[in-house]
Amino acid sequence: MTHFPPPAEELRLLDLELRQLDARRAQLLHRRAWLVTALQAAAPRSAPAPLAPPRPEASAPRVQNVLLVLGGVLLTVAAMAFTLVSWGHMGIAGRALVLGAVTVAVLAAPLPLLKRGLRSTAESVAGLGLVLTALDAYALHEVGLADVDATGYLAAASAVLAALWTAYGLLPRTSELHLPLPAALLAAQLPLTLWAVAADASMLGITAAVLVTAGFDAGVALRVPAGSVRITAVIGAYGMGAWGVWAAGWLSWTATGPSAAARAAALLLLAAGIAVSAAWQEAAAKQALGLSVAAGLLTVAALGGTARPVLPEAWTVPVYLVCGIALLAAIRADRLPQALRDGLTRASAAVQGLALLWTLPLVAIALAGPVAWVDQVWSGAPGDVRQAMAADAPWPPHSETVPVVLATVAAVLLLAARDTAWRTRALTGVLALAWATALVLPAVLEVPYAVGLAALAITTAGALAAAAWIRPSEQPATAQEPSAASTQEPTTAGEPAAVTATPIGVPTPRATAMVLALLTSLPLAFLSLTSEAATLTVLAALTALFAAGSWKAHLAPVTAPAGLAYAAGLACAAGAAAGWQAQYVALLVLVVPVAAALLAARLGDARAAVPVEVTGAIAALLAVALAAAPADLPMLALVLALCGVITAGTAVRPERRSVAYASAALFVLATWVRLTAWDVGTPEAYTLPVTVPALLVGALHRRRDPQTSSWTAYGPGLAATLVPSLLAAWGDPHWTRPLLLGLAALAVTLLGARHHLQAPLLLGGAVLALDALHELAPYIAQVTDALPRWVPPALAGLLLLAIGATYEQRLRDARKMREFLGSMH
């Protein structure tokens, strides 16, 4: 047995090997670069290589083929011109003698050419001869058989030409030619169809002729070896077969009586027989799967089309579905090849899939239709559940049998669940189909509105119970355990362990049931909006149901957020039913974030705690929006403060320390809203509640980490008050605010200088200077107006001279100041 080390030890060994490989690769690359440089330096300069002769753009065989094809085309055009234009200038005998002699001569010419080894030339001449025989047939009709029906004559001529060209291609000497036999097969596509048209046959007869021709092509393709003849036969078989199948299917679908449907079914069965015969042959092994699928679908179309005219239109899809399921009985026949059985299985699956597609519109209406009640809340319950589900959407016609289709496919999948390899997929499909049946059945039966709500509630509870009590499905093999083909399911007492394997990416029955429970609860909640009592009852039931499901640890990441969401909706509905205003309903909604915070702390598992906390945050935002809607600022401040208390309680948990920032922001917002409600216009009242906590946090941060920059610790807090106060002081005509701001800035500057901190020193000094400039600005303006205009330039010049005279000293002083500031934190 192979020994696998522990994951940590294996990871350490892999990292060590990778480091050694990287080091060795770097050494080799360095050595290679040195060798390349040395070789380039030692290599003598070589003369430029002579220019290569121009390469011919066309090979000799290609030129030969082009010339031969072009010559054959020109001769064909000349022969057609002779036949169509110059024919009338000669007598009957002369015409026959010339055209017949030319045709015989051209058909005989390939013999000596083949003897000399000129195969390409012989093919071109043989092609010209075949065209001449077709012109002979045309000339014969124009001269002696002009009164004969053109369609019938064309059918006979194509049959004769096909026979002549076949005989010509099978002669001992001309059998080496590749053109006559494919040409004969092309001509053979026309006789039956044209005879049917000439005989004024119905669409049924023409379709039969087309299908017989397709069968003939299939037989040729299966009998001849690979080559041009087989390729032509395959193209003819698929082309004529597609045409015939389309026509037969159209006849079956438009049949108005059993007799017409039976005749169309016979054509479809003929096409199916051709496909089965071709798939049975060993030569068609590559196409056997596709042909058997086509045969199965054609059989279903034939049998279903026979029964369709005598049944109500609503039973059309179920009839085809039953025929498709009946194909599965043929799989058990041991005489059928494996490819044919696989094809019939896929054909049956395709029929069932198409039947399920037919049910999707009704399922979509059952899911999305109740959303329309959002615009008609508490407007009154409708008469039945169908009217409630399709409030704004048209009901699909002939959909009474949708539950029958869903239940039938579910039964087939349940039988397929006996196969271990398909067990998980089949059980998942059965759950989904059973849920869809239960979802649409009340609307199809047009049960009363209350009964429909009860049915949806039972469906939701059933799906959630299935998710809670279904045993955990098998897990896919992980990358760390490549040799594990299966895992063992946990068992209860007295039950044997079951070992199965689930492919990666396949949804498990448990997860499917949980998703279906959520999906069912949504239309149930929207349908309950028709009346006040139904809304309160349904939302309370859903809240209790999903809260109960949260006791299962594997369901909590989904059911707990869902229960909280429905609890928020219940709070809104209860407040509206009590006649409360929106801002008071917000207080009731805040119960949901409180419950979310407590539940997240109790769960502990991040997979469940994070969705619960996100749902609580969304409920808190809903409460804030409700409080802000009527512009009641005191109530909005209260809601924000309560949200801050909730987030502060969440921040007590060690893994949620970062939530403290959100708590501080909420408290600050609550303070600002409260101040606005009191008509407080002083900016310091808004900024100081931010500055003081920010400075305290910064001081604690620097105490824990002395290397923290003062800009990080104190910059935001100081700027939050100093900058708004400075802007307010510049527009304040009184002296009180500038004086207080100047004193505060001076204190901050002195503290920064005392403790060698950059942020307080520079921020305080800048604010102090700008505040002083604001106070001295009137006097500076008066002095500027009193001085002559030549004084400012003169003063500037003197200043520049003084600076220039002491430039070196000033640079030394500036360097010292920079070093002093750099030594600060």
Side-chain angles (χ1 to χ4, degrees), residues 310-702:
V310 299
L311 293 174
E313 196 166 353
W315 290 93
T316 299
V317 175
V319 166
Y320 282 104
L321 176 61
V322 171
C323 296
I325 295 173
L327 290 178
L328 298 176
I331 300 174
R332 303 187 180 278
D334 296 334
R335 297 181 59 186
L336 291 179
Q338 184 62 39
L340 188 58
R341 284 187 284 179
D342 292 342
L344 293 178
T345 303
R346 297 190 182 189
S348 177
V351 173
Q352 297 177 57
L354 292 174
L356 292 180
L357 285 178
W358 175 71
T359 66
L360 286 183
L362 187 59
V363 176
I365 289 177
L367 280 176
V371 179
W373 288 100
V374 173
D375 298 331
Q376 309 173 38
V377 176
W378 296 355
S379 59
D384 56 66
V385 72
R386 177 184 293 189
Q387 297 177 6
M389 283 187 174
D392 288 343
W395 189 258
H398 312 299
S399 57
E400 296 83 1
T401 55
V402 166
V404 176
V405 172
L406 293 171
T408 303
V409 178
V412 174
L413 287 178
L414 192 61
L415 294 176
R418 298 177 180 178
D419 188 357
T420 305
W422 290 87
R423 181 180 181 185
T424 301
R425 292 187 179 94
L427 291 178
T428 302
V430 169
L431 280 175
L433 293 173
W435 164 80
T437 305
L439 183 66
V440 302
L441 187 60
V444 171
L445 297 178
E446 297 184 272
V447 300
Y449 171 74
V451 178
L453 286 183
L456 289 178
I458 294 173
T459 302
T460 305
L464 193 60
W469 300 109
I470 289 178
R471 291 191 304 171
S473 291
E474 54 278 355
Q475 302 297 327
T478 60
Q480 288 78 11
E481 299 174 346
S483 61
S486 63
T487 57
Q488 186 170 348
E489 297 180 347
T491 58
T492 57
E495 293 183 356
V499 179
T500 54
T502 301
I504 296 177
V506 176
T508 61
R510 171 182 283 182
T512 302
M514 187 161 47
V515 172
L516 294 178
L518 282 177
L519 287 178
T520 314
S521 67
L522 293 175
L524 174 60
F526 285 116
L527 281 177
S528 68
L529 298 178
T530 57
S531 63
E532 178 181 327
T535 302
L536 295 175
T537 303
V538 169
L539 291 180
L542 289 177
T543 302
L545 179 63
F546 284 104
S550 301
W551 289 100
K552 290 288 185 178
H554 64 279
L555 298 181
V558 177
T559 56
L564 291 173
Y566 286 121
L570 177 61
C572 295
W580 292 2
Q581 297 181 0
Q583 63 269 30
Y584 300 107
V585 176
L587 296 176
L588 189 59
V589 174
L590 282 179
V591 177
V592 176
V594 174
L598 296 176
L599 182 59
R602 180 185 178 278
L603 290 174
D605 186 6
R607 294 178 302 173
V610 171
V612 166
E613 291 170 342
V614 171
T615 307
I618 295 174
L621 291 176
L622 175 62
V624 172
L626 290 172
D632 188 348
L633 296 181
M635 186 59 67
L636 178 59
L638 176 60
V639 171
L640 289 172
L642 292 176
C643 291
V645 172
I646 297 171
T647 51
T650 303
V652 174
R653 294 160 51 193
E655 69 276 9
R656 291 292 184 266
R657 298 296 189 195
S658 58
V659 183
Y661 296 105
S663 178
L666 288 170
F667 282 127
V668 169
L669 287 175
T671 305
W672 287 356
V673 173
R674 187 75 250 185
L675 292 173
T676 304
W678 288 337
D679 295 329
V680 176
T682 304
E684 288 77 11
Y686 295 89
T687 57
L688 286 176
V690 178
T691 295
V692 173
L695 293 178
L696 291 177
V697 173
L700 292 175
H701 194 186
R702 277 187 56 81

Side-chain angles (χ1 to χ4, degrees), residues 78-139:
M80 293 175 65
F82 170 78
T83 305
L84 299 175
V85 179
S86 301
W87 184 261
H89 299 291
M90 301 177 64
I92 297 178
R95 301 170 192 171
L97 180 62
V98 171
L99 195 56
V102 171
T103 302
V104 173
V106 171
L107 291 176
L111 299 178
L113 292 174
L114 290 173
K115 187 175 181 180
R116 294 174 177 270
L118 303 175
R119 180 182 299 275
S120 298
T121 306
E123 293 284 356
S124 300
V125 174
L128 176 60
L130 298 180
V131 173
L132 288 176
T133 56
L135 292 176
D136 289 340
Y138 170 76

Side-chain angles (χ1 to χ4, degrees), residues 201-275:
S202 63
M203 187 65 182
L204 191 73
I206 297 174
T207 304
V210 172
L211 290 176
V212 170
T213 304
F216 167 75
D217 292 333
V220 173
L222 294 173
R223 293 295 184 270
V224 300
S228 58
V229 178
R230 184 172 185 179
I231 294 174
T232 306
V234 169
I235 295 174
Y238 281 111
M240 300 296 285
W243 179 15
V245 166
W246 177 85
W250 183 80
L251 289 173
S252 177
W253 186 254
T254 57
T256 58
S259 178
R263 291 193 294 270
L267 294 178
L268 290 172
L269 291 176
L270 173 62
I274 295 172

